[in-house]
Amino acid sequence: MSQDVCVIVPTIREYECVRSYVANAENHGFDTGRLEFVLVTEDHCPTEEMEAMLDDLGVAGEVFDGSRREAWLDDHGVGDYTHLIPARSHAQTSFGLLYLWAHDHPYGVFIDDDTRPHDGVDFFGTHLDNLTAERTVESVQSDENWVNVLYHTADEHGLYPRGYPYAAMDETVETGEREVDDVVASQGLWTNVPDLDAVRILMDGDLQGQAETRLTADDFGPDFVAEPGHYLTVCSMNLGFKREVVPAFYQLPMDDNEWSVGRFDDIWSGVFLKRAADVLGTDVLTGDPLCRHDKAPRSTFDDLHNEVAGLELNEHLWTLIDDAGADADTYAGVFEAMADALIDAEADYRNGDFLAFVGEHMHDWLACLDELQSAERAVPADD
């Protein structure tokens, strides 16, 4: 089988994580020939060592630092869109989405370099099964229109994940069952260090950017979907998805902007994806495969500094796009409508002008995908 899964790994430190994921695939009989790795890194990082690792593992892949990303965009006729990929930001994963789009991969997987797969879980196989199977799963909703992805044991640990609006806490949860037959994103959750924002880490009593509370597999229940009209946090450290969602899954111009808004790339893109999925009748499945999150110690106050500029915006973003694109019939159509909603919003919030900046970049994202696809289709086949 040809390479049909584009594995996107943003990394500046622990690129050797790839070895663990390749070993997991081999141990579970998943064909590593299906995988193409895209390592997204920086100019100061050891790109030659990263390439040597991929060669040693015998897997397809490329390594892109800042210079190589710019060259790739120029070579593919979209050099005018370098501003879509912010400098020194986790949101550079958007470049991986462009690579996937240009190379026609039907599936993508995001992996963060501070994660490792669980030995007993077929990591890639589970994500692909989630994206292709038809089955009955738990369905969840709440009276706040938000679902805490840690809800199964929230009464015991009291945690809410990074990006969950503070105003939506203390929700009443209602569960049921529903058939799913078109899952477009498979969100795997995480044991060990939970994915919390800085305020919640401080409330948990940790000053090193991690958490005093740790999670095990026993803290999670069955896979679930949030009902239409109900949002959830989407974390890209362990996430599979279908190619079709890429137009609505831009990771946004975070960190590298005049308002210093950062750390909400996957959170906000997840809100946009969930709205688009609701409009189009598809689903975001959350649960397995679990990964182990080994977040390195760092100052909680540094994270707080990086997050505070966007905290108020995060409380309101979902309400601004909640009715956008209702008549659209494509992911691009819903995304365009959400972009317009942000540009037109009367955003009387701290750093509210950033929302229009995001909306403008969302339009540029769609234009870039159109031009990239046109350029790729224009390349003649080899004789």
Side-chain angles (χ1 to χ4, degrees):
M1 182 178 290
S2 62
Q3 295 146 13
D4 63 340
V5 183
C6 183
V7 185
I8 302 163
V9 186
T11 180
I12 58 173
R13 297 183 186 89
E14 298 184 50
Y15 59 88
E16 293 276 345
C17 72
V18 173
R19 293 188 182 276
S20 297
Y21 284 96
V22 172
N24 177 274
E26 293 173 341
N27 291 339
H28 288 276
F30 188 91
D31 181 6
T32 58
R34 297 180 63 181
L35 306 175
E36 181 173 10
F37 287 84
V38 176
L39 275 58
V40 183
T41 189
E42 300 287 359
D43 287 336
H44 67 272
C45 293
T47 55
E48 292 184 359
E49 287 88 340
M50 295 179 188
E51 291 171 335
M53 175 192 66
L54 295 177
D55 288 341
D56 181 56
L57 291 170
V59 294
E62 294 195 56
V63 179
F64 291 95
D65 58 20
S67 300
R68 293 181 183 182
R69 286 194 294 273
E70 289 190 10
W72 187 93
L73 293 170
D74 283 337
D75 291 343
H76 289 76
V78 288
D80 291 340
Y81 295 98
T82 57
H83 63 284
L84 291 174
I85 314 299
R88 298 175 301 280
S89 172
H90 186 274
Q92 289 174 350
T93 46
S94 288
F95 175 80
L97 297 178
L98 295 179
Y99 186 95
L100 177 154
W101 191 254
H103 289 264
D104 287 331
H105 293 290
Y107 303 106
V109 176
F110 280 142
I111 293 173
D112 273 8
D113 69 356
D114 60 355
T115 67
R116 299 296 185 272
H118 284 234
D119 291 339
V121 176
D122 179 0
F123 181 82
F124 293 109
T126 301
H127 272 309
L128 270 292
D129 286 346
N130 287 344
L131 293 170
T132 56
E134 299 180 12
R135 59 190 175 112
T136 301
V137 300
E138 191 163 84
S139 63
V140 192
Q141 57 186 313
S142 86
D143 58 345
E144 297 288 351
N145 295 100
W146 271 84
V147 171
N148 178 359
V149 298
L150 305 176
Y151 76 92
H152 285 113
T153 52
D155 288 344
E156 299 172 21
H157 54 60
L159 299 179
Y160 285 89
R162 176 176 57 89
Y164 190 98
Y166 286 87
M169 294 169 60
D170 299 321
E171 74 284 10
T172 299
V173 176
E174 181 180 340
T175 63
E177 287 188 343
R178 181 158 64 79
E179 293 286 332
V180 294
D181 58 8
D182 196 356
V183 171
V184 293
S186 164
Q187 176 175 209
L189 296 174
W190 3 265
T191 60
N192 197 26
V193 181
D195 183 33
L196 309 181
D197 64 29
V199 173
R200 290 178 170 114
I201 292 172
L202 289 172
M203 292 173 65
D204 197 47
D206 190 280
L207 302 182
Q208 298 300 312
Q210 299 178 322
E212 291 297 308
T213 303
R214 299 300 171 96
L215 300 176
T216 71
D218 292 337
D219 289 305
F220 300 97
D223 296 348
F224 66 91
V225 293
E227 282 292 281
H230 295 257
Y231 294 88
L232 75 169
T233 54
V234 174
C235 170
S236 66
M237 75 169 78
N238 171 13
L239 185 75
F241 55 92
K242 290 179 178 176
R243 169 190 170 82
E244 67 193 68
V245 307
V246 168
F249 205 36
Y250 173 45
Q251 298 298 294
L252 309 174
M254 291 289 167
D255 302 291
D256 183 20
N257 58 75
E258 65 179 273
W259 301 270
S260 298
V261 176
R263 296 267 293 161
F264 291 97
D265 45 310
D266 50 355
I267 300 301
W268 290 11
S269 67
V271 169
F272 299 147
L273 175 61
K274 182 59 165 64
R275 172 59 186 167
D278 286 352
V279 171
L280 299 174
T282 59
D283 280 301
V284 176
L285 184 71
T286 298
D288 288 328
L290 298 177
C291 71
R292 191 180 76 247
H293 183 208
D294 297 332
K295 185 180 180 182
R298 65 192 189 207
S299 170
T300 306
F301 294 98
D302 285 348
D303 278 355
L304 180 61
H305 176 78
N306 292 332
E307 293 169 1
V308 70
L311 281 178
E312 184 178 9
L313 299 179
N314 188 62
E315 292 293 309
H316 302 284
L317 176 84
W318 69 279
T319 66
L320 300 176
I321 57 85
D322 190 42
D323 60 355
D327 297 328
D329 57 6
T330 65
Y331 287 95
V334 183
F335 201 63
E336 182 177 23
M338 290 187 287
D340 289 339
L342 294 185
I343 291 170
D344 296 339
E346 296 182 6
D348 187 20
Y349 315 122
R350 180 179 178 85
N351 298 322
D353 290 344
F354 178 67
L355 295 176
F357 181 78
V358 169
E360 292 162 359
H361 279 67
M362 291 165 70
H363 280 298
D364 287 349
W365 176 253
L366 294 174
C368 180
L369 291 178
D370 284 344
E371 292 186 28
L372 181 61
Q373 191 167 42
S374 297
E376 288 300 307
R377 299 300 179 270
V379 175
D382 294 336
D383 293 334

Tab-separated table of all heavy atoms in Angstrom, residues 299-330:
chain	number	residue	atom	x	y	z
A	299	SER	N	8.526	26.893	33.534
A	299	SER	CA	7.824	27.821	34.407
A	299	SER	C	6.347	27.925	34.043
A	299	SER	O	5.997	28.242	32.904
A	299	SER	CB	8.464	29.211	34.329
A	299	SER	OG	7.658	30.167	34.991
A	300	THR	N	5.493	27.674	35.023
A	300	THR	CA	4.063	27.862	34.800
A	300	THR	C	3.760	29.320	34.477
A	300	THR	O	2.846	29.625	33.701
A	300	THR	CB	3.271	27.430	36.047
A	300	THR	OG1	3.625	26.093	36.403
A	300	THR	CG2	1.766	27.478	35.784
A	301	PHE	N	4.559	30.220	35.036
A	301	PHE	CA	4.312	31.642	34.821
A	301	PHE	C	4.690	32.073	33.402
A	301	PHE	O	4.100	33.014	32.869
A	301	PHE	CB	5.055	32.464	35.875
A	301	PHE	CG	4.521	32.233	37.253
A	301	PHE	CD1	5.149	31.343	38.114
A	301	PHE	CD2	3.363	32.855	37.678
A	301	PHE	CE1	4.642	31.104	39.378
A	301	PHE	CE2	2.843	32.628	38.950
A	301	PHE	CZ	3.488	31.740	39.801
A	302	ASP	N	5.639	31.380	32.779
A	302	ASP	CA	5.926	31.638	31.364
A	302	ASP	C	4.720	31.251	30.508
A	302	ASP	O	4.336	31.976	29.585
A	302	ASP	CB	7.160	30.860	30.911
A	302	ASP	CG	8.455	31.475	31.414
A	302	ASP	OD1	8.424	32.619	31.911
A	302	ASP	OD2	9.507	30.798	31.308
A	303	ASP	N	4.132	30.095	30.807
A	303	ASP	CA	2.925	29.685	30.073
A	303	ASP	C	1.794	30.679	30.314
A	303	ASP	O	1.044	31.027	29.392
A	303	ASP	CB	2.489	28.289	30.505
A	303	ASP	CG	3.263	27.180	29.812
A	303	ASP	OD1	4.076	27.498	28.915
A	303	ASP	OD2	3.072	26.005	30.171
A	304	LEU	N	1.657	31.133	31.547
A	304	LEU	CA	0.608	32.102	31.862
A	304	LEU	C	0.805	33.385	31.052
A	304	LEU	O	-0.162	33.940	30.497
A	304	LEU	CB	0.615	32.417	33.351
A	304	LEU	CG	-0.426	33.433	33.845
A	304	LEU	CD1	-1.837	32.926	33.579
A	304	LEU	CD2	-0.229	33.719	35.328
A	305	HIS	N	2.043	33.838	30.966
A	305	HIS	CA	2.346	35.031	30.177
A	305	HIS	C	1.937	34.833	28.717
A	305	HIS	O	1.388	35.752	28.084
A	305	HIS	CB	3.835	35.344	30.267
A	305	HIS	CG	4.266	36.492	29.409
A	305	HIS	ND1	4.057	37.810	29.742
A	305	HIS	CD2	4.891	36.522	28.187
A	305	HIS	CE1	4.528	38.595	28.795
A	305	HIS	NE2	5.032	37.836	27.838
A	306	ASN	N	2.178	33.628	28.173
A	306	ASN	CA	1.867	33.351	26.771
A	306	ASN	C	0.370	33.199	26.525
A	306	ASN	O	-0.104	33.416	25.410
A	306	ASN	CB	2.593	32.089	26.311
A	306	ASN	CG	4.094	32.265	26.256
A	306	ASN	OD1	4.587	33.372	26.043
A	306	ASN	ND2	4.835	31.179	26.440
A	307	GLU	N	-0.376	32.816	27.557
A	307	GLU	CA	-1.794	32.535	27.377
A	307	GLU	C	-2.708	33.714	27.702
A	307	GLU	O	-3.812	33.817	27.151
A	307	GLU	CB	-2.204	31.356	28.267
A	307	GLU	CG	-1.584	30.034	27.865
A	307	GLU	CD	-1.784	28.955	28.903
A	307	GLU	OE1	-2.426	29.222	29.949
A	307	GLU	OE2	-1.283	27.844	28.679
A	308	VAL	N	-2.260	34.598	28.574
A	308	VAL	CA	-3.177	35.585	29.132
A	308	VAL	C	-3.737	36.529	28.068
A	308	VAL	O	-4.896	36.975	28.175
A	308	VAL	CB	-2.484	36.382	30.262
A	308	VAL	CG1	-1.406	37.306	29.723
A	308	VAL	CG2	-3.511	37.145	31.086
A	309	ALA	N	-2.963	36.795	27.011
A	309	ALA	CA	-3.440	37.723	25.980
A	309	ALA	C	-4.673	37.201	25.254
A	309	ALA	O	-5.456	37.982	24.701
A	309	ALA	CB	-2.322	38.003	24.970
A	310	GLY	N	-4.883	35.880	25.267
A	310	GLY	CA	-6.025	35.321	24.553
A	310	GLY	C	-7.115	34.745	25.432
A	310	GLY	O	-8.113	34.223	24.916
A	311	LEU	N	-6.959	34.853	26.735
A	311	LEU	CA	-7.923	34.200	27.620
A	311	LEU	C	-9.340	34.750	27.464
A	311	LEU	O	-10.307	33.981	27.395
A	311	LEU	CB	-7.469	34.336	29.077
A	311	LEU	CG	-6.371	33.384	29.546
A	311	LEU	CD1	-6.000	33.686	30.987
A	311	LEU	CD2	-6.801	31.931	29.396
A	312	GLU	N	-9.490	36.070	27.406
A	312	GLU	CA	-10.833	36.624	27.264
A	312	GLU	C	-11.420	36.276	25.896
A	312	GLU	O	-12.615	35.940	25.790
A	312	GLU	CB	-10.821	38.136	27.454
A	312	GLU	CG	-12.229	38.735	27.418
A	312	GLU	CD	-12.266	40.223	27.646
A	312	GLU	OE1	-11.190	40.869	27.670
A	312	GLU	OE2	-13.380	40.774	27.793
A	313	LEU	N	-10.612	36.333	24.866
A	313	LEU	CA	-11.094	35.970	23.530
A	313	LEU	C	-11.591	34.531	23.508
A	313	LEU	O	-12.609	34.217	22.865
A	313	LEU	CB	-9.983	36.156	22.500
A	313	LEU	CG	-9.422	37.576	22.333
A	313	LEU	CD1	-8.308	37.576	21.302
A	313	LEU	CD2	-10.521	38.543	21.934
A	314	ASN	N	-10.888	33.658	24.204
A	314	ASN	CA	-11.267	32.248	24.210
A	314	ASN	C	-12.635	32.024	24.848
A	314	ASN	O	-13.341	31.067	24.499
A	314	ASN	CB	-10.207	31.435	24.956
A	314	ASN	CG	-10.432	29.951	24.836
A	314	ASN	OD1	-10.394	29.394	23.754
A	314	ASN	ND2	-10.689	29.291	25.959
A	315	GLU	N	-13.009	32.892	25.759
A	315	GLU	CA	-14.329	32.763	26.383
A	315	GLU	C	-15.456	33.023	25.384
A	315	GLU	O	-16.575	32.506	25.550
A	315	GLU	CB	-14.454	33.750	27.550
A	315	GLU	CG	-13.553	33.441	28.727
A	315	GLU	CD	-13.950	32.154	29.429
A	315	GLU	OE1	-15.134	31.997	29.758
A	315	GLU	OE2	-13.059	31.301	29.630
A	316	HIS	N	-15.190	33.810	24.344
A	316	HIS	CA	-16.258	34.286	23.466
A	316	HIS	C	-16.172	33.770	22.029
A	316	HIS	O	-17.155	33.867	21.295
A	316	HIS	CB	-16.251	35.816	23.437
A	316	HIS	CG	-16.412	36.447	24.782
A	316	HIS	ND1	-17.627	36.507	25.431
A	316	HIS	CD2	-15.508	37.019	25.617
A	316	HIS	CE1	-17.470	37.107	26.601
A	316	HIS	NE2	-16.192	37.426	26.740
A	317	LEU	N	-15.020	33.252	21.641
A	317	LEU	CA	-14.828	32.858	20.237
A	317	LEU	C	-15.949	31.964	19.725
A	317	LEU	O	-16.507	32.189	18.645
A	317	LEU	CB	-13.475	32.144	20.089
A	317	LEU	CG	-13.212	31.604	18.680
A	317	LEU	CD1	-12.650	32.701	17.787
A	317	LEU	CD2	-12.251	30.412	18.711
A	318	TRP	N	-16.299	30.939	20.498
A	318	TRP	CA	-17.270	29.964	20.010
A	318	TRP	C	-18.642	30.586	19.779
A	318	TRP	O	-19.368	30.173	18.868
A	318	TRP	CB	-17.362	28.779	20.974
A	318	TRP	CG	-17.990	29.074	22.294
A	318	TRP	CD1	-17.405	29.643	23.380
A	318	TRP	CD2	-19.347	28.793	22.670
A	318	TRP	NE1	-18.297	29.755	24.422
A	318	TRP	CE2	-19.499	29.222	24.019
A	318	TRP	CE3	-20.436	28.215	22.017
A	318	TRP	CZ2	-20.701	29.101	24.708
A	318	TRP	CZ3	-21.631	28.092	22.697
A	318	TRP	CH2	-21.771	28.529	24.029
A	319	THR	N	-18.993	31.585	20.585
A	319	THR	CA	-20.301	32.221	20.398
A	319	THR	C	-20.340	33.038	19.114
A	319	THR	O	-21.418	33.219	18.526
A	319	THR	CB	-20.647	33.119	21.588
A	319	THR	OG1	-19.732	34.224	21.648
A	319	THR	CG2	-20.581	32.359	22.899
A	320	LEU	N	-19.191	33.530	18.668
A	320	LEU	CA	-19.140	34.362	17.473
A	320	LEU	C	-19.309	33.560	16.194
A	320	LEU	O	-19.728	34.098	15.167
A	320	LEU	CB	-17.814	35.130	17.427
A	320	LEU	CG	-17.546	36.069	18.604
A	320	LEU	CD1	-16.160	36.698	18.477
A	320	LEU	CD2	-18.619	37.154	18.681
A	321	ILE	N	-18.995	32.261	16.243
A	321	ILE	CA	-19.080	31.439	15.018
A	321	ILE	C	-20.170	30.377	15.126
A	321	ILE	O	-20.343	29.569	14.227
A	321	ILE	CB	-17.727	30.784	14.684
A	321	ILE	CG1	-17.210	29.912	15.848
A	321	ILE	CG2	-16.689	31.857	14.369
A	321	ILE	CD1	-17.693	28.516	15.919
A	322	ASP	N	-20.933	30.405	16.208
A	322	ASP	CA	-21.847	29.300	16.501
A	322	ASP	C	-22.981	29.159	15.498
A	322	ASP	O	-23.571	28.084	15.384
A	322	ASP	CB	-22.403	29.472	17.916
A	322	ASP	CG	-23.173	28.251	18.389
A	322	ASP	OD1	-22.699	27.133	18.146
A	322	ASP	OD2	-24.243	28.416	18.992
A	323	ASP	N	-23.310	30.214	14.764
A	323	ASP	CA	-24.358	30.082	13.747
A	323	ASP	C	-23.820	30.327	12.344
A	323	ASP	O	-24.594	30.487	11.392
A	323	ASP	CB	-25.528	31.029	14.040
A	323	ASP	CG	-25.110	32.494	14.061
A	323	ASP	OD1	-23.897	32.774	13.939
A	323	ASP	OD2	-25.987	33.364	14.189
A	324	ALA	N	-22.496	30.345	12.189
A	324	ALA	CA	-21.893	30.653	10.877
A	324	ALA	C	-21.959	29.454	9.943
A	324	ALA	O	-21.802	28.312	10.357
A	324	ALA	CB	-20.433	31.074	11.061
A	325	GLY	N	-22.213	29.738	8.676
A	325	GLY	CA	-22.116	28.718	7.635
A	325	GLY	C	-23.201	27.681	7.641
A	325	GLY	O	-23.019	26.592	7.083
A	326	ALA	N	-24.346	27.983	8.215
A	326	ALA	CA	-25.397	26.973	8.358
A	326	ALA	C	-25.853	26.399	7.025
A	326	ALA	O	-26.278	25.236	6.950
A	326	ALA	CB	-26.589	27.565	9.113
A	327	ASP	N	-25.773	27.184	5.950
A	327	ASP	CA	-26.224	26.716	4.637
A	327	ASP	C	-25.089	26.193	3.765
A	327	ASP	O	-25.327	25.800	2.611
A	327	ASP	CB	-26.926	27.860	3.899
A	327	ASP	CG	-28.186	28.323	4.614
A	327	ASP	OD1	-28.845	27.483	5.255
A	327	ASP	OD2	-28.504	29.529	4.539
A	328	ALA	N	-23.874	26.159	4.289
A	328	ALA	CA	-22.730	25.712	3.499
A	328	ALA	C	-22.766	24.197	3.324
A	328	ALA	O	-23.334	23.468	4.146
A	328	ALA	CB	-21.423	26.131	4.168
A	329	ASP	N	-22.143	23.722	2.251
A	329	ASP	CA	-22.104	22.281	2.012
A	329	ASP	C	-20.688	21.752	1.838
A	329	ASP	O	-20.492	20.622	1.392
A	329	ASP	CB	-22.959	21.911	0.793
A	329	ASP	CG	-22.534	22.638	-0.476
A	329	ASP	OD1	-21.509	23.355	-0.447
A	329	ASP	OD2	-23.234	22.491	-1.501
A	330	THR	N	-19.686	22.554	2.198
A	330	THR	CA	-18.296	22.122	2.171
A	330	THR	C	-17.585	22.671	3.407
A	330	THR	O	-18.029	23.649	4.014
A	330	THR	CB	-17.547	22.629	0.920
A	330	THR	OG1	-17.484	24.071	0.972
A	330	THR	CG2	-18.234	22.177	-0.361
